[in-house]
Amino acid sequence: MQAPDINAIRKMIEYYEEDNRNFKQQAEEGIAYYRNENKILRTGAAAIDEVNAYLKKLGKNPLKSADNRIPTNWHRIFTDQKTGYLFTYPPQFDTDSDSEDTEIVDKIKEALGDDYEKVIKQLGTDASNAGRAWLHYWYQKGEPFEYYFIDPLEIIPIYDNQNVKKPLKYLIRRYNFVDYTGASKQRYELWDSNQVCYLERLSSNHDIEFEVLPNGRYNIESHTYGEIPFIEFPNNDARLNDLQMYKGLIDAVDKLISGFANDIDDIQEIIWVIRNYAGEVMETAYDKDGNEVEVSIDLRQKLKAKKFALVDEKGGIDALRNEIPYEARGRFLDILTEQLYISAMAVNPNPEQTGNATGTYIEFLYSLLELKGGLMELEFRPALNQLIRAILKYCDLPEDTKIEQKWTRNKPRNDLEISQIIAQTPSSVLSDETKTKEHPLVENWKTERERVEKQIDEARQNMMDQWQDEIPLIQKPGDEK
């Protein structure tokens, strides 16, 4: 197999690493806020860094300047709310009810295995934090179908801009790696629809080179997937993370709460104003040998130690304390919190109306979250279809088999209302199969339909047996005795 031009690969990687810088910065910021590593941890509340720098420049700290840095985990709350709303009940796959190929669904479920719920939830989290998530699949004939999520910071996609649909043309995966010799390096994978090249860079001072196997050959492998085996799951059509919608509001809340905590700490400190007192600068003290020495006075320490100060008839002492504008801050926090739920398109867990809410009110309460979740579902559906086609190819099944996706939202519902609607809808409008599908007590509608049909058959058979016992058999002519 002929190796590609290494110089061309170097230029391509260098160009797209620079082109991917803005996305990487956005993704790192989203992941950091998801871990509650907010900006407040680096900057502190307003003017605190400047105050402390000034005090440090003086060489002493006449007052305690509190520096609380309290991050709030709003971004994680909003992200987990959306992923829980969409993926607590992960999307299920089904064929047309009239199709005879129902075993296809069983093979798809078998290929997805036990990791499906975890993977799809993590894809939703990665997409919300970074703007897009990535899934990698691989398989060999005779071996299980494998797939897993990939850290979005590792992936650099290269799209075919000449195609209006902008399909994936190449893909670069970059990560740290320890080779068989124990050497630590940065490894690159360059994928196209036919092969993957493994490259390496020992350090930032070294050029990218082909990875060499123990037999001396370049580590270049061909594959038969027919496409790059990485699937992109965008958060939205612009591939922006959710944090961009409300980051400024989170930072404002962090500053407000941290500043409030600073005031609580600082109010314990008192500034003493001594009237008609020019101030002593030196006083007499004694060293360890009993000799008199002149030492400088720290007035703050002297007041703290003696708890009093001597002044003449013209002097006096006033205490200045900091006042905390609690009501203004409380109102400002309420405004920020209200706007946060709107900007994040999230559901406030403490609505004004609670209890056995009607279905209409629940739909209204979840309207913004449904809008945001629906946009993610719109982007995830084609990606899941691509995964299903890969599984069908692995199973040697027709790739054009029509597979339906069923998404179930995790939200409160009024089961009584739904049950009443189903019961009041005539069979001429809604089939029994659809009624079973939509009933709130049914989890697996196919299994439930089988149970219903079995129950009907048993009831019919019992009725026939009962009739045979009660109605005498018709005697044939000539059978009379």
Side-chain angles (χ1 to χ4, degrees):
M1 183 181 299
Q2 185 177 2
D5 183 359
I6 187 63
N7 291 322
I9 290 179
R10 288 171 182 164
K11 291 180 180 179
M12 181 174 67
I13 291 178
E14 180 180 357
Y15 172 82
Y16 283 103
E17 278 186 324
E18 180 65 28
D19 186 62
N20 196 59
R21 190 178 302 276
N22 290 336
F23 166 79
K24 184 179 179 183
Q25 181 180 359
Q26 170 194 258
E28 288 175 340
E29 192 172 54
I31 294 171
Y33 271 66
Y34 186 75
R35 295 172 178 169
N36 210 25
E37 299 169 0
N38 298 4
K39 180 182 177 183
I40 191 71
L41 296 176
R42 301 189 303 274
T43 62
I48 288 298
D49 289 339
E50 290 78 2
V51 171
N52 287 335
Y54 170 74
L55 297 175
K56 184 177 181 181
K57 184 178 179 181
L58 293 179
K60 55 184 178 180
N61 190 352
L63 289 175
K64 177 184 177 182
S65 183
D67 187 8
N68 293 287
R69 304 189 179 196
I70 305 173
T72 53
N73 62 336
W74 284 102
H75 178 55
R76 180 151 195 164
I77 291 173
F78 296 146
T79 301
D80 288 350
Q81 187 182 84
K82 184 176 77 168
T83 54
Y85 180 65
L86 288 175
F87 304 118
T88 296
Y89 308 107
Q92 299 298 314
F93 307 98
D94 197 2
T95 57
D96 188 273
S97 59
D98 296 332
S99 174
E100 298 179 357
D101 298 328
T102 54
E103 68 274 7
I104 293 179
V105 177
D106 296 332
K107 291 185 177 181
I108 292 174
K109 291 181 179 179
E110 181 181 355
L112 291 174
D114 297 333
D115 289 333
Y116 174 58
E117 289 82 0
K118 176 182 179 180
V119 170
I120 192 66
K121 182 263 178 187
Q122 188 61 45
L123 290 173
T125 300
D126 287 346
S128 299
N129 288 333
R132 60 188 179 214
W134 289 93
L135 179 141
H136 175 38
Y137 69 86
W138 65 98
Y139 59 84
Q140 297 288 339
K141 290 298 181 181
E143 297 182 4
F145 183 89
E146 301 283 356
Y147 66 99
Y148 215 65
F149 55 86
I150 300 292
D151 185 349
L153 295 175
E154 295 182 359
I155 303 299
I156 302 176
I158 303 174
Y159 303 99
D160 184 2
N161 292 324
Q162 295 180 350
N163 190 321
V164 67
K165 293 184 178 181
K166 295 185 178 181
L168 197 61
K169 187 175 183 180
Y170 300 104
L171 182 137
I172 300 170
R173 184 186 175 199
R174 175 190 55 198
Y175 53 94
N176 294 326
F177 180 71
V178 178
D179 64 13
Y180 65 95
T181 66
S184 178
K185 57 191 178 184
Q186 192 172 49
R187 194 185 202 194
Y188 292 83
E189 298 176 8
L190 178 59
W191 290 81
D192 63 17
S193 58
N194 299 311
Q195 66 180 16
V196 53
C197 300
Y198 294 92
L199 306 106
E200 62 184 11
R201 194 207 308 259
L202 297 180
S203 68
S204 58
N205 298 327
H206 289 76
D207 289 331
I208 296 174
E209 303 288 351
F210 284 114
E211 187 176 77
V212 180
L213 297 173
N215 59 13
R217 299 181 60 183
Y218 290 152
N219 192 2
I220 302 176
E221 299 178 358
S222 60
H223 63 78
T224 58
Y225 302 124
E227 62 180 4
I228 298 174
F230 288 78
I231 303 176
E232 180 182 9
F233 287 76
N235 186 41
N236 45 56
D237 59 347
R239 292 174 173 83
L240 293 175
N241 66 5
D242 289 345
L243 181 64
Q244 304 302 311
M245 297 189 293
Y246 46 79
K247 178 181 177 298
L249 291 167
I250 292 179
D251 292 340
V253 172
D254 290 348
K255 286 183 178 181
L256 181 65
I257 294 178
S258 299
F260 196 10
N262 291 341
D263 287 346
I264 294 295
D265 287 346
D266 287 340
I267 200 173
Q268 302 175 38
E269 297 293 325
I270 301 174
I271 299 177
W272 297 98
V273 180
I274 304 178
R275 298 190 302 275
N276 296 325
Y277 177 74
E280 302 176 62
V281 293
M282 303 294 291
E283 71 177 355
T284 301
Y286 298 91
D287 61 15
K288 62 179 180 179
D289 298 326
N291 302 318
E292 292 184 357
V293 293
E294 296 293 320
V295 297
S296 60
I297 296 176
D298 186 337
L299 183 58
R300 183 195 64 159
Q301 296 297 338
K302 187 175 181 179
L303 287 172
K304 280 190 173 182
K306 294 186 176 182
K307 305 300 182 184
F308 69 90
L310 298 177
V311 295
D312 56 21
E313 66 278 2
K314 297 180 181 180
I317 295 179
D318 295 329
L320 297 183
R321 293 180 174 86
N322 187 19
E323 298 295 335
I324 301 178
Y326 174 77
E327 293 184 1
R329 284 185 171 175
R331 178 55 185 153
F332 186 39
L333 181 60
D334 291 340
I335 294 173
L336 290 175
T337 302
E338 182 179 357
Q339 187 58 44
L340 264 169
Y341 283 110
I342 297 174
S343 298
M345 304 174 71
V347 177
N348 188 341
N350 298 308
E352 295 180 359
Q353 178 180 345
T354 57
N356 188 22
T358 63
T360 303
Y361 177 74
I362 293 174
E363 292 298 326
F364 170 76
L365 191 64
Y366 279 73
S367 58
L368 286 178
L369 180 59
E370 174 60 33
L371 178 59
K372 182 171 65 171
L375 293 175
M376 173 177 273
E377 177 186 339
L378 190 65
E379 301 295 333
F380 270 46
R381 278 183 173 272
L384 286 173
N385 285 336
Q386 185 178 350
L387 175 62
I388 295 304
R389 286 195 298 270
I391 294 176
L392 293 175
K393 182 177 181 179
Y394 160 78
C395 296
D396 293 324
L397 295 171
E399 296 181 38
D400 58 351
T401 302
K402 184 173 178 56
I403 302 295
E404 297 179 353
Q405 298 182 25
K406 182 180 179 181
W407 291 64
T408 303
R409 305 292 196 253
N410 179 23
K411 66 178 178 181
R413 59 182 182 180
N414 193 316
D415 290 345
L416 179 60
E417 284 186 359
I418 298 174
S419 301
Q420 289 176 343
I421 292 173
I422 292 175
Q424 295 171 5
T425 304
S427 299
S428 59
V429 176
L430 202 63
S431 67
D432 291 341
E433 183 178 290
T434 302
K435 291 180 179 180
T436 305
K437 271 186 182 181
E438 301 301 328
H439 200 284
L441 298 181
V442 175
E443 294 183 0
N444 189 321
W445 71 271
K446 287 189 175 181
T447 302
E448 192 63 30
R449 286 308 306 172
E450 292 175 358
R451 292 173 180 170
V452 171
E453 296 296 338
K454 181 180 179 181
Q455 181 176 316
I456 293 175
D457 291 341
E458 290 177 352
R460 184 183 296 113
Q461 186 62 43
N462 291 336
M463 185 177 295
M464 293 296 296
D465 293 342
Q466 183 178 359
W467 286 351
Q468 289 179 359
D469 292 339
E470 295 179 357
I471 301 177
L473 296 177
I474 299 177
Q475 296 179 344
K476 297 181 180 179
D479 290 342
E480 296 86 348
K481 293 183 181 180

